[in-house]
């Protein structure tokens, strides 16, 4: 089969930018790092992560640090700095 990729990806949108992401889960930290590449170097800054167009049982919500959510094609994430924790 020609188009049979073992690692399927979906396209998610983080702050207006499309990203290919492996099917499965994405964590709070991974979403923030897509928007803020040097996030790991600034652990004192916290972010609010919200999502829309998620799976049927949880189409929208908020991701807290340490949490993750199952990704879906076309899912939209917004990341905003909330200041120091």
């Amino acid at each position: 089969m020609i188009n049979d990729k073992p690692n399927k990806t979906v396209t998610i949108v983080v702050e207006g930018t499309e990203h290919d992401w492996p099917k499965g889960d994405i964590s709070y930290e991974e979403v923030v790092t897509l928007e803020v590449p040097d996030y790991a170097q600034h652990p004192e800054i916290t972010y609010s992560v919200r999502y829309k167009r998620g799976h049927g049982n949880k189409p929208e919500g908020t991701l807290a640090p340490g949490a993750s959510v199952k990704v879906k094609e076309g899912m939209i994430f917004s990341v905003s700095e909330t200041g120091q924790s």
Side-chain angles (χ1 to χ4, degrees):
M1 287 193 260
I2 295 172
N3 286 334
D4 190 21
K5 291 193 248 169
N7 296 324
K8 299 258 190 218
T9 61
V10 294
T11 301
I12 60 171
V13 180
V14 181
E15 287 298 319
T17 303
E18 291 186 353
H19 299 274
D20 287 331
W21 193 261
K23 271 196 163 187
D25 290 353
I26 190 166
S27 71
Y28 165 90
E29 289 77 11
E30 290 166 330
V31 174
V32 173
T33 301
L34 287 174
E35 176 60 19
V36 186
D38 64 349
Y39 164 65
Q41 296 162 32
H42 302 283
E44 73 283 358
I45 301 173
T46 56
Y47 294 88
S48 169
V49 177
R50 297 186 56 76
Y51 63 88
K52 294 189 283 192
R53 293 195 190 164
H55 281 274
N57 61 342
K58 243 188 147 192
E60 54 186 62
T62 304
L63 266 184
S68 62
V69 67
K70 194 167 188 62
V71 294
K72 179 181 164 190
E73 182 67 36
M75 204 165 173
I76 299 172
F77 292 88
S78 59
V79 178
S80 56
E81 192 174 315
T82 57
Q84 301 197 340
S85 56

